[in-house]
Amino acid sequence: MITLIPYKFDINECDQQIQELQHFLKTNLEIRETGKNGLQRFFSNRPNLILLLGYWHFGLEPAFYKPEVSLFSNEFRADFVISDRQKKKFVFVEFEDATENSIFKPKLQNSDSGNTSYEWSSRYEHGVSQVIDWYYRMDDYERTYKFEEYFGHREISYTGLLVIGRDKFLQQSGLMQRFRWRSSKTIINSKPLHCITFDQLLQESIEKLSTLKASDQLE
């Protein structure tokens, strides 16, 4: 059965960790996924930021999380998994590098036209394929005993989230709209495949925390 870490979300700690993320992105234009100063390590040390990713699934109140989860006997791996208290709603998260060529790379030119055209990078395609593989395996095992043994339920609700790249590089090359169009139009097995940059993740986190603060004050 999937084993996750229980954690009580703390608004004040999350506020501090969002400020740390803001500083991290501001002082590091290009960031690798792994390594001593990598994105996975940064988030792994800040559970509240991970839990906040759970709100990408509608109605999910995050209560459990875990970094580097192997799904179904190590076949596929998620960088982070977040679930609700009942473990019936999940967000599976894939991180990729936040570098200049993480999402697009220049095509090799055979002419002297001077115009630069871009194609989707192998890093981006790898990240998208990873999420698609999760969806494939989930659909393949759903309503089987193996699925129930792993999740504790015959059915769950889940969302995949890919975080990759930086806004600045997309804006410099004029590719932001192309990226957003593909991200918003990609549907796999009737489920959206959410794909955002780390700058967009920061902005979404700030807005979500603001909503949570307002709700907390009303209570």
Side-chain angles (χ1 to χ4, degrees):
M1 179 176 286
I2 188 170
T3 303
L4 303 177
I5 302 167
Y7 196 88
K8 182 173 175 57
F9 181 77
D10 188 296
I11 286 181
N12 294 325
E13 284 184 7
C14 189
D15 197 353
Q16 176 61 36
Q17 290 171 6
I18 285 178
Q19 293 178 43
E20 292 168 358
L21 175 60
Q22 195 165 21
H23 177 75
F24 184 60
L25 295 176
K26 185 177 181 180
T27 55
N28 298 277
L29 183 56
E30 291 193 292
I31 313 171
R32 295 293 176 186
E33 177 192 355
T34 59
K36 183 179 178 180
N37 297 313
L39 291 155
Q40 283 192 22
R41 185 166 185 175
F42 179 89
F43 276 80
S44 293
N45 292 331
R46 295 165 176 82
N48 288 285
L49 290 184
I50 301 173
L51 287 179
L52 206 57
L53 298 175
Y55 287 103
W56 278 88
H57 187 301
F58 179 76
L60 192 160
E61 293 293 331
F64 293 89
Y65 83 99
K66 192 175 183 180
E68 297 187 271
V69 176
S70 294
L71 303 175
F72 301 111
S73 302
N74 299 319
E75 186 175 9
F76 300 117
R77 184 183 64 83
D79 289 328
F80 300 100
V81 173
I82 306 98
S83 83
D84 64 349
R85 191 167 301 281
Q86 292 73 34
K87 294 184 182 177
K88 286 188 174 182
K89 297 177 181 178
F90 289 81
V91 174
F92 300 96
V93 183
E94 173 73 6
F95 276 6
E96 296 289 347
D97 290 343
T99 63
E100 184 172 5
N101 294 324
S102 291
I103 302 174
F104 293 100
K105 63 179 181 179
K107 287 184 180 179
L108 295 176
Q109 299 294 321
N110 296 320
S111 67
D112 297 325
S113 64
N115 295 324
T116 302
S117 58
Y118 294 85
E119 61 186 359
W120 297 95
S121 74
S122 58
R123 196 81 189 185
Y124 175 85
E125 296 293 1
H126 172 269
V128 170
S129 295
Q130 183 82 339
V131 180
I132 291 174
D133 281 341
W134 298 339
Y135 284 12
Y136 155 70
R137 182 50 76 204
M138 294 289 209
D139 185 60
D140 187 39
Y141 283 170
E142 199 165 21
R143 298 180 182 86
T144 67
Y145 287 113
K146 187 169 185 176
F147 191 94
E148 186 173 7
E149 287 173 0
Y150 188 74
F151 286 107
H153 305 283
R154 293 296 297 273
E155 296 181 45
I156 64 168
S157 178
Y158 58 90
T159 294
L161 173 64
L162 169 62
V163 191
I164 182 172
R166 300 295 305 267
D167 280 3
K168 182 175 182 179
F169 299 126
L170 291 173
Q171 292 162 350
Q172 285 177 340
S173 53
L175 295 167
M176 180 64 80
Q177 187 59 32
R178 184 176 166 188
F179 170 70
R180 286 179 171 170
W181 185 91
R182 181 173 177 179
S183 301
S184 65
K185 301 297 182 181
T186 302
I187 304 294
I188 306 296
N189 194 29
S190 302
K191 296 180 184 296
L193 193 164
H194 300 291
C195 183
I196 57 174
T197 68
F198 283 93
D199 300 283
Q200 292 163 14
L201 173 60
L202 171 62
Q203 188 57 43
E204 291 281 351
S205 297
I206 291 172
E207 291 175 5
K208 184 58 188 178
L209 184 63
S210 178
T211 301
L212 292 173
K213 283 181 176 179
S215 177
D216 190 55
Q217 288 173 356
L218 288 175
E219 293 177 2

